[in-house]
Amino acid sequence: MKLYLQYMKIQIQSIMEHKMSFFLTLIGQVILTVTAFLGIYFMFLRFHSVKGFTYQEVLLGYSVVLFSFSMSELFARGFDTFASMVSRGEFDRIMVRPRNEIFQVLASKMEFTRIGKLVQALFMLLYVILKSGIVWTPYKIYVLVSMAVGGTALFSGLFLIYAALCFFTIEGLEFMNIFTDGGRELGKYPLGIYGNAVLKFFTFCVPLAMIQYYPLLYLIGKESRKIVGLCPLAGILFLIPCYIIWKIGVKHYTSSGS
C-alpha cells in the first residue's frame, strides 16, 4: 500500500505540472455526465415512469453504476491503456521487476479527471436518499454499499479482460467497449426494461444486473427476499474468471519484439 501511495503521489505531481489541462479535462468529464443526467430528467418531465420505475428509482440505479464505473476508471485505467504498454515492449520490464504484474499495471495509470464523475454520482445518491422515500435500514445501507463495491469490481474485471486480450492481439479490441462504456450507458435505466434476452445476458454472462437491477428491486420494495441483497457479490466473484484469463494471457506472452 505504501508503494501504491507513492505511485499516486508521483502521478499527482505529474498532473499538477499541467494544471490547466487537468482542470479543463475534469470540466469536460463533468459536462458529459450532466448531459446524461439532464436526458433522464427531461424524459421524466414528459413521462412519469418507465416500466413502473419512478425518476428517483431510475436515478438510484444510474448513480450506483456511474459511481462504480468512475471508480474503476480512476484506479484501473492502466488496464484500459494496456495495449500501448504491450506494443512498446514496456510489459517486458514489468515482468522482470519483483512486484506483481497486476499491481504494476494498476499503479501505472490513475485517471484523476474521473473525480468529477465520482462527485456527481455521490450528489445523485444523496438526492435519492433524501427524496426517494426509501426507509434506509442497516441492511439496505449494506446493499447499497455492496452495489457500489461489486460494480467497481465488475468494471475493473472487464478492463482486466480487455488488457488480457492484448497479449494475443497486441492491439486493444474495441468491442470490449460494448461491456464497459456500453454497460455504463445501459445502467442509466433498470436493466429489466430492455427485455429478457438482455437481462439474462447481463445476469449470467456479464453480471451487471446483479449489481444494479436485482438489488435495486429490493431497495425500492419491489422484491422482499433479503437474499437478493447478496447479488452484488457476483461482481466480486466475476474477478475470478477475469484473473484466470489474465494469467492465461501472461503465460502466452512472448514479447512484442521491441
Side-chain angles (χ1 to χ4, degrees):
M1 179 58 71
K2 184 178 180 181
L3 180 59
Y4 185 80
L5 292 175
Q6 185 64 29
Y7 271 105
M8 185 180 293
K9 179 181 177 181
I10 292 171
Q11 294 203 38
I12 292 174
Q13 290 174 340
S14 176
I15 289 171
M16 289 300 102
E17 290 295 320
H18 306 279
K19 296 182 181 67
M20 184 59 67
S21 174
F22 169 73
F23 287 114
L24 288 176
T25 305
L26 180 66
I27 292 171
Q29 291 290 330
V30 171
I31 291 174
L32 286 174
T33 310
V34 167
T35 56
F37 166 75
L38 290 177
I40 298 173
Y41 174 74
F42 287 125
M43 191 196 72
F44 274 93
L45 287 180
R46 178 66 178 84
F47 304 100
H48 299 295
S49 67
V50 175
K51 289 288 185 74
F53 292 95
T54 65
Y55 173 62
Q56 287 81 12
E57 292 168 352
V58 168
L59 201 61
L60 175 58
Y62 178 46
S63 60
V64 170
V65 171
L66 178 62
F67 178 86
S68 301
F69 184 80
S70 301
M71 283 289 288
S72 63
E73 273 198 314
L74 175 58
F75 293 107
R77 187 67 173 176
F79 293 124
D80 194 35
T81 59
F82 187 69
S84 60
M85 186 177 292
V86 172
S87 62
R88 292 197 300 263
E90 294 178 7
F91 192 70
D92 295 7
R93 295 201 301 269
I94 285 178
M95 293 191 70
V96 299
R97 292 170 181 166
R99 290 289 178 178
N100 180 270
E101 298 96 346
I102 290 180
F103 169 80
Q104 293 186 65
V105 176
L106 281 173
S108 68
K109 181 71 173 179
M110 301 172 203
E111 195 60 74
F112 291 102
T113 56
R114 269 50 179 185
I115 291 175
K117 287 183 179 180
L118 280 174
V119 172
Q120 278 193 308
L122 289 173
F123 272 115
M124 290 162 65
L125 274 173
L126 180 61
Y127 171 81
V128 169
I129 290 171
L130 296 175
K131 297 292 185 179
S132 65
I134 297 174
V135 179
W136 292 98
T137 63
Y139 187 71
K140 286 190 175 181
I141 294 174
Y142 152 75
V143 172
L144 182 62
V145 172
S146 66
M147 289 168 69
V149 174
T152 302
L154 171 67
F155 284 114
S156 298
L158 289 172
F159 283 128
L160 183 59
I161 292 176
Y162 173 85
L165 294 176
C166 295
F167 288 122
F168 305 97
T169 62
I170 303 299
E171 297 295 331
L173 298 177
E174 295 300 322
F175 83 89
M176 284 299 298
N177 290 332
I178 297 173
F179 306 112
T180 52
D181 296 283
R184 180 199 60 199
E185 292 301 307
L186 283 173
K188 287 181 180 178
Y189 300 95
L191 292 178
I193 74 170
Y194 299 111
N196 286 331
V198 173
L199 182 60
K200 288 179 179 178
F201 178 84
F202 282 101
T203 298
F204 300 107
C205 298
V206 179
L208 179 61
M210 301 292 277
I211 62 96
Q212 191 245 31
Y213 181 65
Y214 299 113
L216 175 64
L217 293 180
Y218 176 76
L219 290 179
I220 64 179
K222 292 181 182 290
E223 173 60 66
S224 59
R225 293 174 297 173
K226 284 192 173 183
I227 195 172
V228 174
L230 300 177
C231 287
L233 295 177
I236 299 175
L237 294 175
F238 182 68
L239 288 173
I240 297 175
C242 296
Y243 179 73
I244 292 173
I245 295 172
W246 167 267
K247 294 302 290 185
I248 292 173
V250 172
K251 183 178 179 180
H252 287 80
Y253 178 67
T254 56
S255 182
S256 63
S258 300

